[in-house]
Amino acid sequence: MNKSYYLETYGCQMNVADSELIEKLLHSEGYKQTDQMEKADAIFVNTCAIRDHAEQKVHSRLGLFNRVKRENPGVIIGVLGCMAQNLKDDILTNKPYVDIILGPDGYRRLPEYLKRNNKKKHIVDTKLSRYEVYDDLFPSRKEGINAWVSIMRGCDKFCTFCIVPFTRGRERSRSIDSIIAEVSQAVSDGFVEITLLGQNVNSYQFNSIGFTQLLEAVSEVKGVQRIRYTSPHPQDVTEELLDIMASRNNICNSIHFPLQSGSDRILKRMNRTYTQNHFLAQVTMMRDKIPHIGISTDIIVGFPGETETDFQETLNVMNEVQFNSAFTFKYSGRPFTKAVEYPDHISENVKQERLERLIQLQKQHTLNKNSDLIGTAQPVLIEKESKKSSSHWAGRTDTNKWVTFKKESTKIKQTVDVDILKTSGISLHGEIS
Ligand code: 5AD
Ligand code: SF4
């Protein structure tokens, strides 16, 4: 059998990792990947529902897939992942050309559905599971530096803005044995950086093993040059976790630490379970333990009821912490969530204006943080050739910043010390020490 599939992936790294699982399942059915959707036997889109904008993008792609299907009526169209969960009714009523709708816990059944597909009836499977962690199913990875390794699925935190607990279901952790086996496999396949993934990685719990012990075990796998993880919840970052990070050379001095808002009143309405003071105390603890730790964050502006004073509190925290980088979002009302029912939504104009101020401030902080590195030597993992020059490499510091420098006689996947000489925009330039 010589069937081919075309797959597009939207959303977070978890979705990228899920797509690698899906590809593994498709390969074991004899499907081959193609970049040409017009020639594919099956077109899949792995979707994201986190904000309305992400959904709109998928809707527009589906319009295109529909046109492809008119030319090639035999093609199977599958909507996978978070949006399948969320929008199955809409798809069933308005998008009859979609053949398979499959939520994030149903991927194992995809091969069966491909065989069963009879063109007359849609297949809809959005059942969430309390147990599915795809423990025994190792992803099909393309060559590269970094391997995403999913350690848990779902979320039980129920932040009031977030759709994830509804699209990905209850929190569950994967066994440490299968995580370590997958990490070892990734290393023998040539990957040198491992990023542990979960909606709330520090809620990881398998029997008596928590996230800190898991991280320690991963750092002992031979050949792992770098370990990153995303994302922890600010409430659960402990001293023990930071001690392990500080004591292991191959765990990066870098943490993604989502603030969401700096105002206690808004944090409470978001059900974020920490206060501004607690967040700042956590940052102080991190910097005490790991002085040059790189801290990135996520911030939402225009959450329902956010006043100018609340927004100022967010700017204050940003000024205090000076994040290395920030993903910034306008609040987007999501179905099923508590916040979408709040009566005091903020106008689009105000959201936009606050977002712009936030981005401006973060830009300054990012530039300041980058300039602080001039004159220092940083360990850099060489990842690829610089886009601008074939005689230069591009690699990342362990605090996650891109640096370019002359190749000399080094090669990809090597870690070298680089003297940082100058910055331009958000990138750094240097030379091998
Ligand atoms: N609106 C805007 N941003 C959101 N996020 C999650 N839900 C929403 C929403 N409804 C952001 C949060 C989270 C990141 C992955 O996406 O900042 O940390
Ligand atoms: Fe969403 Fe909050 Fe869970 Fe993160 S912790 S996935 S923001 S509910």
Side-chain angles (χ1 to χ4, degrees), residues 282-399:
Q282 295 280 74
V283 168
T284 305
M285 174 169 77
M286 286 175 199
R287 291 194 168 138
D288 283 347
K289 298 262 181 203
I290 308 171
H292 299 294
I293 191 165
I295 307 176
S296 56
T297 199
D298 290 344
I299 302 176
I300 297 175
V301 297
F303 184 79
E306 183 187 70
T307 61
E308 176 61 26
T309 315
D310 293 314
F311 178 62
Q312 283 293 338
E313 292 288 309
T314 300
L315 300 181
N316 292 346
V317 175
M318 288 172 75
N319 279 319
E320 185 113 348
V321 176
Q322 306 257 334
F323 295 106
N324 284 55
S325 62
F327 296 99
T328 52
F329 309 106
K330 284 188 276 191
Y331 168 76
S332 166
R334 303 283 63 216
F336 315 121
T337 61
K338 204 163 162 193
V340 77
E341 308 291 336
Y342 290 168
D344 39 8
H345 283 256
I346 304 294
S347 76
E348 184 59 27
N349 286 350
V350 172
K351 284 189 206 171
Q352 184 61 32
E353 184 256 344
R354 289 184 186 159
L355 183 72
E356 282 165 19
R357 284 156 71 197
L358 198 93
I359 291 173
Q360 206 46 41
L361 182 64
Q362 182 53 47
K363 205 168 166 191
Q364 272 175 29
H365 292 164
T366 304
L367 295 178
N368 293 347
K369 283 273 165 197
N370 285 353
S371 319
D372 287 349
L373 293 180
I374 295 174
T376 66
Q378 299 290 322
V380 174
L381 174 63
I382 302 175
E383 299 200 17
K384 58 188 180 191
E385 195 163 89
S386 156
K387 276 192 199 127
K388 294 203 179 125
S389 149
S390 61
S391 59
H392 286 68
W393 291 130
R396 278 181 298 161
T397 65
D398 81 337
T399 54

Side-chain angles (χ1 to χ4, degrees), residues 155 157-159 161-162 164-165 199-200 233 260 272:
C155 181
K157 291 279 198 249
F158 289 94
C159 301
F161 51 80
C162 187
V164 166
Q199 241 68 48
N200 257 308
H233 192 289
Q260 312 299 2
R272 282 298 282 179

